[in-house]
Amino acid sequence: IQAAWNLKTRALTEMVYVDEIDLDQEGIAEILLDENAIAQVARPGTSLKLPGTGQGGGPSPAVRPVTQSGRPITGFVRPSTQSGRPSTMEQAIRTPRTALTARPITSASGGYVRPGTASMITNPDGPFINLSRLNLTKYAQKPKLAKALFEYIFHHENDIKNALDLAALATEYAQFKDWWWKVQIGKCYYRLGLYREAEKQFMSALKQQDMVDTFLYLAKVYLRLDQPVTALNLFKQGLERFPGEVTLICGIARIYEEMNNISSAAEYYKEVLKQDNTHVEAIACIGSNHFYSDQPEIALRFYRRLLQMGVYNCQLFNNLGLCCFYAQQYDMTLSSFERALFLAENEEETADVWYNLGHVAVGIGDLNLAYQCFKLTLVNNNNYAEAYNNLAVLEMRKGHTEQARALLQTASSLAPHMYEPHFNVAILSEKVGDLQRSYTAAQKSEEAFPGHVDTQQLMKQLKEHFAML
């Protein structure tokens, strides 16, 4: 159970071979005809979906916390990886809520206006433009108006179907010579989940006009198809045409970071800072990397730089507090966490700060304060698996075995990708003599973190016990 004291602070393999495949003719035909199909077993270093296929010696879960997909926690939250995407075509086509209100569009324009202007009437209780009454063919023949109308439909109303219809009519009117409309059609296909069709549109647009945005959109398509190596090659092609472009360099760094190749990601983030020394994402990611590399003093310099640039939020002060604590600058630690609690915008952020305060309490030896901090973490976020695990360790030190077991079971069910709860259950069960449960939990711990030495030693001891029996 001692290994849990090395639990990560929250601030910031193996090749698999297919033995046999037994498919009927329909299954084979479906795979061959589906252009968006992705290989179930990817080659090492070519997939973002399988955590064990990353190359470059990424950090272990004992050093840096990982997400449920197996990627290390990055120093910067990116909307593209956080937001939920439509899983079916029906969900993508269905008109969602508008950008200004949570209500669906239900009110229609009155019938007292002429039909030609009914589509453009503004009603305080209704939409700015009634899309169902628009004559898209007429507006597609007016290029300047069509582009503004498309931006409104796509970005404000989020009506992908009508936006795609308008873009198709406009590019046909332009005799397929306008690269801008091809990019817009590709964006619509991407939102609808038709990635191969989107790829064709973006490639066609690139042949007509080299644009940084087109490279970025095409790379997004390849990432959704789980082809990070192709996306990397595309970014490097873009850098040949646009040398020193920050967004392309940053895109390469993000892909390396998602593939667990932290060293290469850090090099490209440093390259970003050579071109733009105020790039918040690069500064935050390099600072996070230094923190998890046992260099909190250097990480502190990067986070202070963000503070000087005007970034003023809960996450930054939370990270500053952690860096100050591990850099033994205790005078600033509690004041940073106090400011972070003051700036927290929701309960999840508050829970993160209390969790880290619990680690500070553990570090100074005040276990009662640590117990209260972890309890406050669960008050703000009842699904905080790490807090359950640490509370179980504290309960175990008090001799409360059953409470510790219940807390560990909750932690392992909430976060099956973490190895600490499974390992602690294995240690606890082994101490009370339940060898079978200990062996099962140790297997889960080994599966979550194959390189954990303590788990391997426990497995060896249990196998010796079983051999004696």
Side-chain angles (χ1 to χ4, degrees):
I1 220 140
Q2 190 64 30
W5 293 106
N6 300 325
L7 247 186
K8 42 219 170 220
T9 24
R10 190 151 164 164
L12 296 249
T13 51
E14 227 180 333
M15 294 175 65
V16 180
Y17 296 93
V18 179
D19 294 326
E20 295 179 8
I21 297 180
D22 185 13
L23 287 175
D24 54 9
Q25 291 183 352
E26 290 183 6
I28 296 174
E30 184 178 351
I31 290 176
L32 291 177
L33 295 175
D34 187 3
E35 291 184 337
N36 295 318
I38 297 174
Q40 297 297 317
V41 181
R43 290 175 295 156
T46 62
S47 173
L48 296 176
K49 294 183 181 296
L50 300 176
T53 59
Q55 289 181 333
S60 70
V63 176
R64 187 168 186 168
V66 295
T67 62
Q68 193 146 4
S69 62
R71 300 176 189 169
I73 289 180
T74 59
F76 195 84
V77 176
R78 305 183 182 98
S80 61
T81 59
Q82 298 291 320
S83 60
R85 299 193 177 276
S87 57
T88 62
M89 183 71 72
E90 288 76 14
Q91 289 178 357
I93 294 177
R94 190 182 302 125
T95 305
R97 307 293 187 259
T98 65
L100 300 179
T101 176
R103 293 185 298 110
I105 302 174
T106 53
S107 49
S109 301
Y112 54 87
V113 291
R114 289 178 294 129
T117 58
S119 62
M120 299 303 248
I121 191 68
T122 58
N123 190 345
D125 297 325
F128 177 65
I129 296 176
N130 194 340
L131 300 181
S132 61
R133 299 191 178 209
L134 284 180
N135 184 356
L136 297 179
T137 306
K138 180 180 75 172
Y139 290 111
Q141 296 172 4
K142 302 176 181 179
K144 295 181 181 179
L145 182 60
K147 290 183 178 181
L149 182 60
F150 175 87
E151 296 281 350
Y152 175 81
I153 297 173
F154 186 85
H155 293 293
H156 185 276
E157 295 295 332
N158 206 6
D159 189 343
I160 308 304
K161 182 178 179 297
N162 280 322
L164 180 60
D165 291 342
L166 176 61
L169 291 169
T171 192
E172 185 177 351
Y173 178 76
Q175 299 178 349
F176 306 97
K177 294 179 180 179
D178 191 341
W179 65 270
W180 191 87
W181 282 115
K182 292 183 179 180
V183 171
Q184 309 315 310
I185 293 175
K187 287 161 64 174
C188 293
Y189 280 143
Y190 176 83
R191 292 284 288 275
L192 293 173
L194 304 173
Y195 302 122
R196 290 300 181 187
E197 284 77 2
E199 177 192 9
K200 293 175 184 175
Q201 295 294 331
F202 291 136
M203 294 289 284
S204 178
L206 277 178
K207 289 179 181 176
Q208 289 185 352
Q209 179 75 37
D210 284 340
M211 294 295 291
V212 176
D213 278 354
T214 313
F215 281 106
L216 295 174
Y217 280 121
L218 188 54
K220 285 179 68 176
V221 170
Y222 287 133
L223 290 177
R224 295 296 292 175
L225 289 172
D226 195 24
Q227 296 179 1
V229 177
T230 309
L232 284 174
N233 293 334
L234 178 71
F235 278 133
K236 290 172 182 176
Q237 290 175 17
L239 284 174
E240 292 177 1
R241 302 179 190 179
F242 300 96
E245 175 58 41
V246 170
T247 53
L248 298 178
I249 304 173
C250 190
I252 296 176
R254 289 177 183 176
I255 295 175
Y256 276 127
E257 196 169 40
E258 291 180 0
M259 293 173 69
N260 288 8
N261 194 342
I262 304 298
S263 57
S264 297
E267 292 298 323
Y268 276 97
Y269 278 129
K270 290 175 183 176
E271 191 66 30
V272 169
L273 292 182
K274 290 178 183 177
Q275 305 293 334
D276 178 10
N277 57 9
T278 61
H279 197 276
V280 175
E281 181 179 348
I283 296 173
C285 289
I286 293 175
S288 173
N289 187 36
H290 281 299
F291 177 81
Y292 288 116
S293 301
D294 288 333
Q295 297 173 320
E297 300 89 353
I298 302 177
L300 189 59
R301 291 171 53 193
F302 282 93
Y303 289 128
R304 284 178 58 195
R305 169 68 175 159
L306 289 178
L307 195 61
Q308 292 167 355
M309 284 168 48
V311 179
Y312 192 78
N313 56 25
C314 169
Q315 292 85 350
L316 179 58
F317 280 100
N318 178 53
N319 294 356
L320 282 169
L322 283 175
C323 291
C324 288
F325 176 69
Y326 286 106
Q328 300 180 2
Q329 298 183 16
Y330 302 120
D331 54 336
M332 290 294 296
T333 301
L334 292 179
S335 59
S336 296
F337 282 126
E338 186 179 4
R339 188 66 57 85
L341 284 172
F342 177 74
L343 293 172
E345 296 179 351
N346 52 52
E347 292 182 343
E348 284 75 13
E349 293 179 0
T350 308
D352 285 342
V353 179
W354 280 117
Y355 176 77
N356 290 333
L357 278 168
H359 270 279
V360 172
V362 170
I364 63 177
D366 192 345
L367 299 186
N368 289 328
L369 176 60
Y371 190 86
Q372 292 175 351
C373 289
F374 292 137
K375 281 287 189 183
L376 284 168
T377 302
L378 295 179
V379 167
N380 288 282
N381 184 0
N382 200 34
N383 294 325
Y384 213 109
E386 292 90 341
Y388 280 110
N389 181 82
N390 291 9
L391 275 175
V393 176
L394 294 174
E395 293 284 6
M396 188 58 196
R397 289 179 67 90
K398 295 179 180 179
H400 301 160
T401 307
E402 290 304 319
Q403 290 93 322
R405 187 191 300 276
L407 290 167
L408 287 172
Q409 287 177 348
T410 305
S412 58
S413 62
L414 287 173
H417 63 284
M418 286 170 48
Y419 75 94
E420 292 95 345
H422 299 303
F423 176 73
N424 291 342
V425 169
I427 289 288
L428 191 60
S429 301
E430 196 263 343
K431 284 186 176 180
V432 299
D434 191 347
L435 300 184
Q436 182 60 44
R437 180 177 292 180
S438 176
Y439 184 74
T440 305
Q443 282 182 319
K444 292 179 180 178
S445 174
E446 189 176 34
E447 183 180 346
F449 181 18
H452 191 222
V453 178
D454 292 336
T455 301
Q456 295 171 357
Q457 291 178 352
L458 179 61
M459 292 278 286
K460 185 179 179 182
Q461 292 177 9
L462 291 172
K463 287 177 181 177
E464 289 176 357
H465 280 303
F466 292 143
M468 291 172 61
L469 294 174

